[in-house]
Amino acid sequence: MIDEIDLIALLIDHAELACLCDMLESVADALPTLPEEDDAAWVCRELENRLPTHEARERRFLETVFAPRTMPNGEAVLDRIRCRSVSQVVQAQDLVAALLPGASPLPATTLGYMLRCFFEACRADMAFEELAILGLAEQRLTSAARTLLRDSLDRHCRA
């Protein structure tokens, strides 16, 4: 069985990533004005540090939930999530290169496009993961775990 305690780390990571996405959206909304140097440095640190640690924790958890012995189609779900994780890390590296204080400024339209591609995809990927767990592992979820996932999905839908 998958209990709510099993989901907490993943959902905390998702909440923190959602906050980062909100910050990136506010940067995109403020363009052509770039963030202050301190804010840009913070965003860059978050992009550099949060995504790799999130990806590693997420991978371990999802490999357990969607293990082939427990979930026949789990490998297909894991492959999709792995590909998206690699894409997010590459996009994050591009954003860091563009936002680092002292970097050559990109046109506002280019930077805005990069930011929006990243945070919209990140939000969609988080919702996909949670929906995949809810849908494919539903028989193994406790009532409390299902409630946590549904509440988190509701928050993603309102963002």
Side-chain angles (χ1 to χ4, degrees):
M1 290 301 287
I2 301 168
D3 202 0
E4 69 268 21
I5 194 76
D6 301 321
L7 296 172
I8 294 296
L10 178 71
L11 296 180
I12 287 172
D13 274 354
H14 281 188
E16 290 172 350
L17 278 174
C19 288
L20 177 59
C21 288
D22 292 346
M23 175 67 158
L24 294 172
E25 187 170 18
S26 68
V27 169
D29 290 345
L31 291 172
T33 303
L34 292 174
E36 298 290 324
E37 242 182 65
D38 289 345
D39 292 336
W42 178 85
V43 167
C44 290
R45 278 192 308 278
E46 286 292 303
L47 287 167
E48 289 174 322
N49 298 326
R50 182 155 314 281
L51 284 171
T53 51
H54 166 70
E55 190 274 333
R57 280 192 301 257
E58 175 184 71
R59 182 175 23 84
R60 283 190 302 274
F61 173 75
L62 293 174
E63 284 172 354
T64 302
V65 171
F66 295 115
R69 65 188 183 332
T70 60
M71 189 68 48
N73 296 320
E75 197 60 38
V77 173
L78 286 173
D79 285 345
R80 193 257 187 213
I81 292 170
R82 284 183 200 118
C83 289
R84 290 302 309 145
S85 292
V86 169
S87 178
Q88 283 178 1
V89 170
V90 170
Q91 285 178 317
Q93 291 168 344
D94 290 343
L95 285 172
V96 168
L99 291 170
L100 270 176
S104 298
L106 293 175
T109 54
T110 302
L111 183 55
Y113 180 76
M114 290 171 63
L115 287 162
R116 291 192 190 287
C117 285
F118 177 82
F119 66 74
E120 287 176 4
C122 190
R123 288 173 176 158
D125 291 341
M126 289 185 289
F128 174 82
E129 292 164 17
E130 293 173 18
L131 191 57
I133 295 166
L134 185 62
L136 296 176
E138 183 169 12
Q139 299 303 318
R140 295 172 45 219
L141 293 170
T142 64
S143 176
R146 263 192 300 284
T147 299
L148 271 178
L149 282 169
R150 287 183 181 134
D151 289 349
S152 183
L153 281 165
D154 284 346
R155 284 189 297 279
H156 291 305
C157 290
R158 282 186 250 126

